[in-house]
Amino acid sequence: MIKLRSYIFSFSFFFKREMLVTIIAFLLVILFAESTARFFKASGVINEDPRLQSTLEKYIKTIISERPDVWFVGNSTLDYSLDELQWSKRTGVSSIKMPLGGSTVRATVSMLEYYAKASFQLPKILVVFATKDDLNINGSRAKNSLTYLNRSWATPWYDTAVALRLCQKSIRNLIGRQVNNFARKIRSRPAKSDPIPMFDGAAPDPNDKHLSGLAANYQIDSEAVNLLFQFANQHKLQKVLVVLPPVTMQYEVWHDTKHSNIPVKNIYNEFIEGLKKKNIPVLGFRNNFNDHSFFRDSYHLNDLGKQRFTESLDIGF
């Protein structure tokens, strides 16, 4: 008697079917995440898309449409230090500010090539903001900068990969806003404007995790200056200069206490000496703002400090 074997109920069939179901389910999850993110953005729940790609696209569009003479580049210290609109209004010189959170000098210079190729534009003057922690090749900023150096945001999968996270964050923010609005109604108190954040002048905690991460295994990036010079020389920029933005004494004392083998003074001396060899001028504001009321923390200016710094910045255009 011949026994017929049915492959419909065989292990191999179930395995293939389970694989197919898994793949379909995975694709449906991606589709749902992407469409949900787009829905929330279109409906206004997501007011500003925080994706790096979106930020870069905004920079590129501004460069193409406005053709600014001056490019200000750096990270959060640039963002908190300069009001580029007020600066342009005061000086009559068009400018764009392009901060990238957590970027090192090396990463900032790397992104300049991207801006130039994507916009087919170059600045007349390039201004790079830098602090000591932007020169550490081992700190947390160096790790953050891998995003800019590796161009992970330039892949077609980037939007899909972050879509679900965007939805999650947006829903959480939406719930938080509703809870806050409900709490305000219960209290029935008139709304108050948020006070300007001010640094209290106290020395940072010796075990501050954030500052420790910035200065971890400190080693100066000796190639950063060369990369900046190469970009300026290759594209024949009219002028390039480096700005050392204001920071508090507490910030630098903290570093010297924790890293006495490589004090702040030595770091800046080596950096400035390298810039001088390449004929790149330096504008130093490190310790110009002695009043800690101009700061929101040990190395970021608040709105009062930003206004004062913007009024004092002269790049000699």
Side-chain angles (χ1 to χ4, degrees), residues 86-100:
Q86 287 299 318
W87 185 86
S88 292
K89 184 178 180 180
R90 177 175 65 83
T91 61
V93 180
S94 59
S95 68
I96 180 173
K97 181 175 71 173
M98 297 184 285
L100 293 174

Side-chain angles (χ1 to χ4, degrees), residues 80 194-200 292-297 300-305:
Y80 284 111
D194 294 332
I196 296 176
M198 289 188 181
F199 177 55
D200 59 10
H292 59 74
S293 64
F294 287 117
F295 292 86
R296 63 175 56 236
D297 55 39
H300 286 129
L301 292 174
N302 57 26
D303 290 343
L304 292 175

Side-chain angles (χ1 to χ4, degrees), residues 26-240:
F26 176 71
L27 293 175
L28 287 175
V29 168
I30 292 177
L31 179 62
F32 172 77
E34 182 71 20
S35 59
T36 305
R38 291 176 182 274
F39 169 77
F40 280 130
K41 187 172 185 298
S43 61
V45 175
I46 302 178
N47 296 321
E48 180 68 24
D49 190 342
R51 291 174 297 181
L52 174 60
Q53 191 175 32
S54 175
T55 299
L56 297 177
E57 288 173 357
K58 183 171 66 176
Y59 292 162
I60 297 302
K61 288 178 181 178
T62 302
I63 292 172
I64 293 173
S65 62
E66 299 183 9
R67 296 174 176 266
D69 292 325
V70 179
W71 290 7
F72 291 106
V73 295
N75 52 40
S76 61
T77 53
L78 162 65
D79 198 21
Y80 284 111
S81 297
L82 179 69
D83 184 334
E84 79 282 10
L85 299 179
Q86 287 299 318
W87 185 86
S88 292
K89 184 178 180 180
R90 177 175 65 83
T91 61
V93 180
S94 59
S95 68
I96 180 173
K97 181 175 71 173
M98 297 184 285
L100 293 174
S103 67
T104 59
V105 174
R106 179 186 289 264
T108 296
V109 174
S110 173
M111 291 302 298
L112 290 172
E113 286 291 352
Y114 171 78
Y115 299 145
K117 291 179 181 178
S119 66
F120 299 99
Q121 302 289 331
L122 287 167
K124 292 181 180 178
I125 296 182
L126 173 65
V127 183
V128 179
F129 278 56
T131 65
K132 68 172 185 67
D133 292 320
D134 307 337
L135 300 167
N136 182 12
I137 63 174
N138 296 319
S140 56
R141 281 187 184 153
K143 294 178 181 178
N144 293 337
S145 292
L146 293 176
T147 302
Y148 311 122
L149 295 170
N150 296 339
R151 301 289 201 276
S152 61
W153 39 267
T155 64
W157 285 97
Y158 183 83
D159 282 346
T160 303
V162 300
L164 187 57
R165 189 167 70 244
L166 283 172
C167 291
Q168 201 173 35
K169 182 178 180 180
S170 301
I171 293 172
R172 187 168 61 247
N173 291 342
L174 177 62
I175 294 174
R177 286 199 299 270
Q178 296 300 327
V179 171
N180 289 336
N181 290 337
F182 180 72
R184 289 194 194 99
K185 291 179 180 178
I186 292 177
R187 289 194 300 264
S188 299
R189 294 177 181 174
K192 295 182 180 180
S193 58
D194 294 332
I196 296 176
M198 289 188 181
F199 177 55
D200 59 10
D205 185 335
N207 299 316
D208 187 295
K209 291 184 179 180
H210 179 65
L211 295 181
S212 297
L214 292 174
N217 302 316
Y218 202 100
Q219 183 179 350
I220 299 176
D221 185 355
S222 57
E223 278 299 305
V225 173
N226 290 332
L227 294 173
L228 178 58
F229 174 77
Q230 289 170 13
F231 177 84
N233 190 52
Q234 177 186 349
H235 296 289
K236 296 179 172 56
L237 301 186
Q238 180 177 321
K239 187 176 184 179
V240 57

